[in-house]
Amino acid sequence: MVDNIKNDCAYLVVGGDSLVGEGLLYALEERGHRAYSTTRRIDTLNSRRVKLDFERFEEFIPPSDVDLIFVVAAATNYERCEKDPLAHKINVELIPRFVEAQLQHGLFVVFISTNSVFGGERPWPAEDDPHSPGIPYALQKSEAEAAMRASAVKLGAENRLAIVRLTKILDPNTSPLPNWFSAWSKGEVIEPFEDLIFAPMSVQYVGRALSILGEKRISGNLHLSGADNVSYVKFAQSLSNAVSASSALIAPTSSIQKGINIAFKPTYSGLGMARTTNLSGVLPQTLESVISDLLAARQFK
Ligand SMILES: NC(=O)c1ccc[n+]([C@@H]2O[C@H](COP(=O)([O-])OP(=O)(O)OC[C@H]3O[C@@H](n4cnc5c(N)ncnc54)[C@H](OP(=O)(O)O)[C@@H]3O)[C@@H](O)[C@H]2O)c1
């Protein structure tokens, strides 16, 4: 780990238009940093938005003042990861190759990964625990992590690679929240699943926490997690309390009852954060804080 906090250099967010990327860019700028992002949308390029598309081979040279890159972009759709060989190629070959090139150029790289690499059957897995991925997306992320770690070892750059795994991230537009808010405003009932467990975090928390991890240049495996494993029913109840919607507007059901096949259905979703908290001071996000951030973000929509 490099101890000193560097504030004089710029950050690059690869995948700046993603949910996580937008939250991270907002937090970096709010904390006074210069931040660039990459996009594939060429009609939106400007001095702070540079083009990068992993699907088209191109030599990518980051802006010269950048010394830390957050690799947020990925092929994230579960079904695409299962069926499209290009998604596998992006996640397992092209992104690790990009990371190796940046490490070779002396940059610090923060790669964003996922709780799903642990498979979801062990409570609160620690940062350095072994993986047990169950779905193709998780397997691809796990393989990408291994490839990057191998590159860092080969280049003697282990102190410039961080792998940050995240649990589920919410903003007011994340499904099924828009439908829930809309139903409650019309006095209609929602049907959350009691057999779907998650450890939610707000996009604001993730943006702030990633910024802190980047500022501190903490290397190795790190976790950001909600503090609670909750069902969607429990989450709906907490949210309905916060917006003063009647609990009668919640009719618990399950994905099994509804005949819906959910690809990743963990028993435990939350991640252990002991190493991360010890090195950074960042604590898991409580459910109350997630809901408070969600409602604050809703007021600005
Ligand atoms: N969302 C969650 O709850 C969650 C939970 C755990 C981990 N994660 C991880 O967090 C990261 C961000 O997730 P997200 O949900 O915020 O992502 P997202 O909204 O699905 O966006 C994915 C991003 O990747 C970019 N991208 C995809 N293919 C690309 C390619 N070939 N070349 C360049 N860019 C490409 C997309 O660019 P365009 O904007 O141009 O389409 C987009 O910015 C991912 O690594 C994901 O695995 C997310």
Side-chain angles (χ1 to χ4, degrees):
M1 176 190 143
V2 181
D3 276 324
N4 55 318
I5 296 177
K6 296 173 75 177
N7 285 318
D8 55 341
C9 55
Y11 294 82
L12 175 69
V13 177
V14 172
D17 297 327
S18 63
L19 174 65
V20 173
E22 282 187 349
L24 174 57
L25 280 166
Y26 182 84
L28 286 169
E29 280 162 11
E30 199 180 45
R31 295 170 73 83
H33 299 298
R34 234 174 12 266
Y36 300 87
S37 63
T38 75
T39 179
R40 294 184 289 182
R41 299 157 212 221
I42 48 174
D43 53 326
T44 67
L45 299 181
N46 61 36
S47 60
R48 287 288 170 92
R49 287 171 62 81
V50 296
K51 181 171 172 280
L52 174 63
D53 184 347
F54 291 119
E55 284 167 43
R56 285 169 183 72
F57 177 78
E58 57 206 41
E59 178 84 6
F60 180 80
I61 300 170
S64 57
D65 51 343
V66 166
D67 90 337
L68 185 145
I69 300 187
F70 290 97
V71 180
V72 177
T76 54
N77 182 282
Y78 290 176
E79 199 180 335
R80 187 176 173 217
C81 288
E82 188 179 343
K83 297 187 175 150
D84 181 357
L86 184 55
H88 181 275
K89 187 170 179 178
I90 290 167
N91 286 336
V92 178
E93 287 177 37
L94 301 179
I95 292 178
R97 200 182 301 160
F98 172 84
V99 168
E100 178 167 311
Q102 306 315 315
L103 290 173
Q104 215 154 13
H105 285 122
L107 292 158
F108 195 110
V109 177
V110 179
F111 173 67
I112 306 303
S113 189
T114 160
N115 60 343
S116 63
V117 299
F118 294 111
E121 292 312 310
R122 218 167 346 121
W124 308 109
E127 286 88 340
D128 293 324
D129 278 1
H131 293 184
S132 187
I135 56 172
Y137 162 76
L139 186 61
Q140 289 169 21
K141 284 289 203 178
S142 180
E143 287 178 9
E145 288 190 23
M148 288 168 201
R149 234 175 267 119
S151 296
V153 169
K154 182 178 78 182
L155 298 168
E158 290 138 289
N159 65 341
R160 285 189 288 106
L161 176 67
I163 292 172
V164 186
R165 303 188 195 99
L166 310 177
T167 59
K168 176 73 184 169
I169 298 136
L170 298 179
D171 86 350
N173 291 321
T174 308
S175 175
L177 300 183
N179 289 345
W180 288 5
F181 289 129
S182 162
W184 286 337
S185 71
K186 292 183 268 180
E188 292 170 4
V189 170
I190 64 158
E191 294 186 301
F193 293 163
E194 61 197 353
D195 60 345
L196 189 56
I197 306 295
F198 69 155
M201 306 183 282
S202 69
V203 71
Q204 297 100 311
Y205 164 86
V206 172
R208 282 191 301 269
L210 284 175
S211 301
I212 291 169
L213 300 180
E215 285 163 0
K216 292 179 181 283
R217 304 291 194 270
I218 302 169
S219 57
N221 296 325
L222 299 164
H223 284 171
L224 296 175
S225 174
D228 305 280
N229 280 310
V230 291
S231 70
Y232 274 69
V233 172
K234 162 80 177 129
F235 184 75
Q237 286 162 344
S238 300
L239 191 60
S240 73
N241 280 339
V243 298
S244 304
S246 163
S247 58
L249 298 181
I250 299 173
T253 184
S254 70
S255 62
I256 293 174
Q257 265 176 310
K258 290 285 175 185
I260 293 173
N261 180 32
I262 294 178
F264 180 54
K265 213 170 145 191
T267 305
Y268 305 102
S269 176
L271 294 170
M273 280 183 56
R275 175 176 191 265
T276 307
T277 300
N278 190 27
L279 293 175
S280 68
V282 176
L283 293 163
Q285 189 179 26
T286 63
L287 196 54
E288 294 71 28
S289 166
V290 178
I291 288 175
S292 149
D293 278 353
L294 272 176
L295 299 186
R298 239 185 126 219
Q299 289 185 334
F300 290 100
K301 297 272 164 196

